[in-house]
């Protein structure tokens, strides 16, 4: 992640005072800001002037290593922060990553200034609706599955 004194992002009062944003932990807010800083845009010509077109929303990636280095936090803070951002509707994972070296997880950020319409900002619906079911879970984590206690067994020899 490149950190420069240039650039920035404007947050609307609707987002700032939303239940979703106010419930975020400091780690989650840091991760959200890092993801927003990764967004890139170009200027497109329009009849009423020039406007920004976000070119990589849906492919934003902040790795656990980058997060830990920048915030001096641990791995579990990154995972909890990412999961909280998904649950309240600020981000959505578009690619899982991890299948080979250099394969990074990718995310879409749902903030209106980033090419997302107000109606698509999922965080606006937050306490009535959440996206906890979209939090990535470990696949095929079946270690010890065959040696687990069966229903009615106590583990004592009979």
């Amino acid at each position: 992640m490149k950190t420069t004194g240039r650039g920035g992002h404007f947050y609307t009062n609707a987002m700032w005072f939303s239940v979703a944003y106010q419930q975020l932990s400091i780690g989650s807010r840091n991760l959200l800001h890092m993801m927003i800083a990764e967004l890139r845009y170009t200027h497109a010509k329009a009849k009423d002037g020039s406007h920004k077109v976000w070119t990589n929303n849906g492919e934003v990636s902040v790795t656990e290593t980058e997060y830990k280095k920048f915030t001096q936090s641990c791995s579990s803070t990154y995972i909890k922060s990412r999961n909280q951002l998904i649950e309240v509707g600020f981000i959505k994972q578009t690619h899982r990553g991890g299948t080979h070296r250099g394969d990074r997880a990718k995310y879409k950020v749902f903030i209106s200034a980033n090419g997302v319409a107000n109606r698509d900002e999922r965080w606006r619906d937050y306490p009535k609706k959440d996206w906890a079911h979209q939090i990535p879970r470990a696949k095929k984590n079946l270690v010890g599955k065959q040696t687990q206690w069966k229903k009615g067994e106590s583990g004592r020899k009979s």
Side-chain angles (χ1 to χ4, degrees), residues 65-109:
T65 306
E66 290 170 337
Y67 179 80
K68 287 169 37 177
K69 184 178 178 183
F70 186 75
T71 63
Q72 304 297 309
S73 300
C74 62
S75 295
S76 64
T77 303
Y78 172 80
I79 298 298
K80 288 175 186 175
S81 298
R82 181 206 61 192
N83 292 350
Q84 189 178 28
L85 288 174
I86 291 171
E87 182 179 347
V88 301
F90 279 111
I91 64 172
K92 175 184 179 181
Q93 190 174 55
T94 58
H95 176 69
R96 186 174 180 96
T99 58
H100 55 81
R101 184 177 174 89
D103 186 26
R104 301 164 66 135
K106 295 178 182 169
Y107 302 92
K108 181 170 183 161
V109 181

Side-chain angles (χ1 to χ4, degrees), residues 9-20:
H9 184 78
F10 171 76
Y11 296 111
T12 62
N13 283 342
M15 187 190 110
W16 186 265
F17 293 115
S18 70
V19 174

Side-chain angles (χ1 to χ4, degrees), residues 146-158:
Q146 294 178 347
T147 58
Q148 290 178 355
W149 302 113
K150 306 296 184 264
K151 186 172 182 176
E153 291 181 348
S154 67
R156 290 176 278 161
K157 292 184 181 179
S158 49

Side-chain angles (χ1 to χ4, degrees), residues 20-33 67 77 80-82 84-85 88:
Y21 190 83
Q22 291 301 314
Q23 285 193 351
L24 293 179
S25 65
I26 297 297
S28 298
R29 290 180 187 189
N30 286 339
L31 183 58
L32 179 62
H33 298 308
Y67 179 80
T77 303
K80 288 175 186 175
S81 298
R82 181 206 61 192
Q84 189 178 28
L85 288 174
V88 301

Side-chain angles (χ1 to χ4, degrees), residues 17-59:
F17 293 115
S18 70
V19 174
Y21 190 83
Q22 291 301 314
Q23 285 193 351
L24 293 179
S25 65
I26 297 297
S28 298
R29 290 180 187 189
N30 286 339
L31 183 58
L32 179 62
H33 298 308
M34 289 176 75
M35 287 187 171
I36 291 170
E38 289 293 317
L39 288 166
R40 301 290 170 252
Y41 65 89
T42 59
H43 286 284
K45 296 284 183 185
K47 291 180 183 178
D48 57 346
S50 174
H51 68 279
K52 292 180 182 179
V53 175
W54 299 93
T55 58
N56 69 334
N57 199 2
E59 297 181 10

